[in-house]
Amino acid sequence: MRTSPSTRGMLLVLAATAGFASLGTLAGLAYETGMSSPVFVMLRAILGATLIGALLAVRPALRTPLGGIPSHERGMLLLAIVLNGAFNLALFGAFALATVPIALALYFTYPALVAVSSVALGRERFTRARVLGLVVAMVGVTLLLAERLAGAGGAVPLGILLACGAAALQAAYIVVARAGFPSVNAELAIMLVLVGGAVMAAGLAAATDGLAAFDGWSTRPGPWLAVLAAALFGTAAAKVWVLKGLRLIGGTRTAVIMLGEPFGGIVLAAVVLDQPLTPIEAAGGLLIVVAALLVQRAAPGRSGE
């Protein structure tokens, strides 16, 4: 049976969310060996871009001639590259200066920013179901992170600012990527996004650690396997899937489904890192599922939104 574009988009974003959810655990495994966060971001971007480049090499039909991209789309693609790179640096900077629960609590406000921006641009409209879904999603994220926030302690003001900046940058990336460069194949667009992110992360890694960033861990297979898995499942595949899904179902619906990421990350950490899932966290995850179902109801008169 043939699935509708809306259903395909939802399934693509769900698959992407599962991939993104693996990043926290994989990063944790890499960090335990002494790898720094800028190096992890850089390597997963480099490997992710390489994997997509290999796919494009064997499947010419997926390529988009760069010379044939309209000038305004090239500008929007460049903006998406900068937004994605800055988002990664801001979020991982927030993790370094604020506790992870505080950084995540601020960062996961971005679906509300996506919704407001999409309405302001005339792409979507607020409906009762959509507003209720956003509220339920925010409550679910709060429950997911509540117990971790209770023991989080303080945060450096710059860390709070970076976490808020990461939310704004992620929201802007989603809004731009939604319809900014429709003639560019998703695989090629994401490869370019990852190359740009790798360059920005490499600059930060060089400025903070230099060659010392590779001391200790680089001769061990474990961290490389963690980075490779992150590059394949949590970067290359996930970013391509989310862009394809985003183009099919719109920004708000995509962003709310992606709120399942912290729940998936907590479940994976419970299995791999022996960090048990609490009843409150399970309740938060259930609310996010309910929210995702609510926002899938398209606004009257809007196809795919």
Side-chain angles (χ1 to χ4, degrees):
M1 185 174 64
R2 188 172 183 179
T3 58
S4 67
S6 180
T7 299
R8 288 201 306 273
M10 184 174 66
L11 292 174
L12 283 166
V13 177
L14 281 170
T17 299
F20 290 137
S22 70
L23 287 176
T25 297
L26 293 170
L29 293 173
Y31 296 161
E32 287 177 355
T33 67
M35 185 187 298
S36 68
S37 62
V39 171
F40 179 81
V41 173
M42 176 187 70
L43 291 177
R44 76 181 179 88
I46 291 173
L47 291 174
T50 302
L51 289 168
I52 296 176
L55 176 64
L56 294 175
V58 299
R59 295 189 61 185
L62 296 177
R63 304 176 202 163
T64 303
L66 295 178
I69 301 173
S71 59
H72 69 280
E73 290 193 26
R74 288 199 296 269
M76 295 300 280
L77 179 56
L78 178 60
L79 177 58
I81 290 170
V82 173
L83 288 170
N84 178 77
F87 150 69
N88 277 292
L89 295 179
L91 185 60
F92 281 90
F95 288 158
L97 295 172
T99 55
V100 170
I102 289 176
L104 288 178
L106 294 171
Y107 164 62
F108 279 112
T109 60
Y110 77 84
L113 300 179
V114 172
V116 171
S117 299
S118 298
V119 171
L121 291 170
R123 295 178 179 172
E124 303 182 18
R125 65 180 69 173
F126 280 130
T127 63
R128 290 180 181 178
R130 193 155 288 177
V131 172
L132 179 60
L134 284 169
V135 172
V136 171
M138 293 298 103
V139 173
V141 171
T142 301
L143 289 177
L144 269 177
L145 300 173
E147 293 180 332
R148 298 167 193 263
L149 282 170
V156 176
L158 179 58
I160 294 175
L161 182 63
L162 286 172
C164 292
L169 289 164
Q170 174 73 326
Y173 171 79
I174 289 175
V175 170
V176 169
R178 166 68 179 87
F181 35 92
S183 67
V184 184
N185 184 278
E187 284 81 2
L188 176 62
I190 294 303
M191 186 186 76
L192 295 174
V193 163
L194 291 177
V195 169
V199 171
M200 295 174 72
L204 179 61
T208 54
D209 297 314
L211 293 178
F214 292 88
D215 289 346
W217 64 266
S218 60
T219 58
R220 299 163 59 183
W224 288 105
L225 290 174
V227 171
L228 181 59
L232 178 58
F233 300 111
T235 304
K239 280 188 170 292
V240 169
W241 290 336
V242 81
L243 179 55
K244 289 183 175 181
L246 175 62
R247 288 172 169 177
L248 289 171
I249 65 174
T252 300
R253 297 163 75 185
T254 295
V256 171
I257 293 174
M258 288 173 66
L259 285 175
E261 179 186 339
F263 180 63
I266 288 172
V267 171
L268 186 61
V271 174
V272 177
L273 302 178
D274 195 26
Q275 299 175 3
L277 177 70
T278 69
I280 291 179
E281 290 169 340
L286 178 60
L287 285 179
I288 291 173
V289 172
V290 171
L293 293 174
L294 283 171
V295 299
Q296 296 315 303
R297 296 180 59 184
R302 295 292 178 111
S303 176
E305 290 289 0

